[in-house]
Amino acid sequence: MDRTDLKVCVLRHMSDRYAPLLAFWTGQGPLPQSTRIEAHCDLVYTLVLLGEEATVPSAALKALVEALRGYSLPGLAPHAGLPVLSVHNLAYACGVLNLFPARKTALYSRLAEGRSFAPDTIVDPASHLPIFPPKWAHHNWRVSHWIGGIPSILLSLSRSGLPFADQAAQRLAITRDASDRLVAPQTGLLRAWRSDAVQWLFRRLYAFRHDPDLGDLGGVAHLLWIDHVIGRRYVGLEALHAQASHLFRKHGPFMEAVPYCLDFDIVQILRTAAGQLGRTDPADRTRAAGMMAAIEAFFAAPIPEGYTLHKVPGALATWHECALMTDTPTGPDHTNPPTDIIREAFWL
């Protein structure tokens, strides 16, 4: 498949399944009613990863910000009576704003208008750790949405141009350093649980549906994204690289049945850990080239009905990670560099 055909296939899929949302985000239709914040973000990330960011109108971004103002936002002073937006969705929405650097300061200013910086709502002031639900401590992939999502929000606010950006940067530095206490130095994986026995049982039950090793590695990815952006060396770097390479080669063509964000988590860790180590295994590059072809073939074929919108940007981001690993140019004339989406958005 020619690289430009991937764009054609994905846009056709968007038009077939999500026509009103696609029309809104390309300036050709009204704001769809009752659309979840996550779905708006999914569509924007998809357009950006297809190289179609120029089609996103300023009015649509402003409408997204107004929709966000209808929520109480983690890290900003809570508004009584408003529904609370999840940490994941705010990190994701901030990622959308970050993807448009020329517009983001004005968008962040409107987002935070009338609201003050409230870091103690997301970071424990005594331990300096991100606040996460203890009931999910055994589920590394799920709990990582708080452990990584909260630093992502702080990182976005620190680069937002808002008056409290320096305060956010200071809290980010303290919180990220403190979060090393949640990472096992021998493996580089999250270790937020207290009971080893319960963790053993959780992994056995989780294995009935998923590879628990994929869940563990995919979980810590959310925290490593922050390290990737700020240039921080990964804890357990050698072990992370070895595990990512092992799982990348073990599972194929995708980590699970279809391409989505879990694929991105594994490949992104592998690529960035290899970059920190200063080496890339030729076998991993060959595997990455095969995964690119598999993603292209997936979108060229009829898409399964259960393939949700949220999986699309994960698949496309994985394609770009593989392109980065294989030094494959993108774009219609094959001259554009692949997109390192985490460096641009700080979240996925």
Side-chain angles (χ1 to χ4, degrees):
M1 173 189 276
D2 187 89
R3 305 306 180 210
T4 56
D5 291 340
L6 177 62
K7 179 191 294 189
V8 171
C9 292
V10 174
L11 288 177
R12 181 172 60 235
H13 174 62
M14 295 291 105
S15 182
D16 288 345
R17 302 253 180 109
Y18 311 104
L21 195 58
L22 177 63
F24 172 69
W25 280 105
T26 54
Q28 301 173 46
L31 175 68
Q33 297 303 309
S34 304
T35 301
R36 295 177 298 112
I37 294 295
E38 182 179 84
H40 282 293
C41 298
D42 291 335
L43 204 292
V44 178
Y45 270 77
T46 296
L47 290 173
V48 169
L49 288 164
L50 292 174
E52 292 291 302
E53 59 270 20
T55 66
V56 175
S58 294
L61 291 168
K62 291 176 182 177
L64 174 62
V65 169
E66 293 306 317
L68 291 168
R69 285 182 56 80
Y71 291 87
S72 182
L73 303 175
L76 299 177
H79 278 47
L82 293 180
V84 179
L85 193 67
S86 71
V87 164
H88 161 65
N89 277 337
L90 181 56
Y92 204 28
C94 287
V96 168
L97 305 188
N98 298 338
L99 289 170
F100 299 90
R103 312 179 203 177
K104 76 173 185 177
T105 298
L107 293 167
Y108 272 109
S109 294
R110 175 57 183 159
L111 180 69
E113 187 176 315
R115 307 186 188 209
S116 58
F117 184 45
D120 291 352
T121 63
I122 54 176
V123 176
D124 184 282
S127 68
H128 304 298
L129 292 174
I131 297 172
F132 58 87
K135 67 179 181 178
W136 296 119
H138 292 282
H139 195 326
N140 279 342
W141 190 83
R142 179 165 288 193
V143 78
S144 69
H145 284 76
W146 287 273
I147 295 174
I150 287 167
S152 178
I153 291 169
L154 293 172
L155 178 57
S156 288
L157 293 176
S158 75
R159 300 188 182 183
S160 64
L162 291 169
F164 53 74
D166 288 345
Q167 292 175 262
Q170 292 168 7
R171 292 303 290 262
L172 169 64
I174 296 169
T175 298
R176 179 59 199 89
D177 286 347
S179 295
D180 277 350
R181 301 202 301 272
L182 300 174
V183 179
Q186 300 85 359
T187 64
L189 302 176
L190 291 181
R191 196 189 186 289
W193 66 85
R194 295 184 179 181
S195 170
D196 289 341
V198 175
Q199 179 65 11
W200 180 89
L201 178 61
F202 171 81
R203 283 178 58 85
R204 295 308 181 273
L205 295 173
Y206 191 76
F208 282 108
R209 296 187 62 187
H210 307 282
D211 183 340
D213 291 335
L214 284 173
D216 287 346
L217 192 62
V220 77
H222 299 91
L223 185 59
L224 298 181
W225 292 346
I226 309 307
D227 294 349
H228 178 54
V229 176
I230 65 178
R232 194 178 195 270
R233 188 175 176 85
Y234 295 168
V235 174
L237 175 60
E238 287 276 5
L240 285 172
H241 179 264
Q243 180 72 331
S245 180
H246 167 69
L247 292 173
F248 188 45
R249 300 184 200 183
K250 176 183 177 182
H251 295 273
F254 312 120
M255 297 303 103
E256 295 192 316
V258 295
Y260 73 116
C261 58
L262 180 61
D263 299 88
F264 174 78
D265 296 341
I266 306 307
V267 180
Q268 202 266 351
I269 288 176
L270 176 57
R271 180 183 69 83
T272 56
Q276 290 193 13
L277 290 168
R279 64 174 188 262
T280 299
D281 192 310
D284 288 333
R285 288 172 58 93
T286 300
R287 168 76 174 95
M291 179 174 267
M292 289 181 73
I295 292 170
E296 293 161 9
F298 176 84
F299 283 107
I303 307 297
E305 285 297 325
Y307 193 73
T308 62
L309 175 59
H310 191 54
K311 290 181 168 62
V312 176
L316 294 177
T318 304
W319 186 92
H320 279 272
E321 282 297 317
C322 291
L324 285 163
M325 283 185 65
T326 57
D327 299 315
T328 302
T330 68
D333 55 359
H334 302 274
T335 58
N336 296 340
T339 299
D340 185 341
I341 194 66
I342 295 303
R343 283 204 186 279
E344 295 191 12
F346 317 153
W347 193 252
L348 178 65

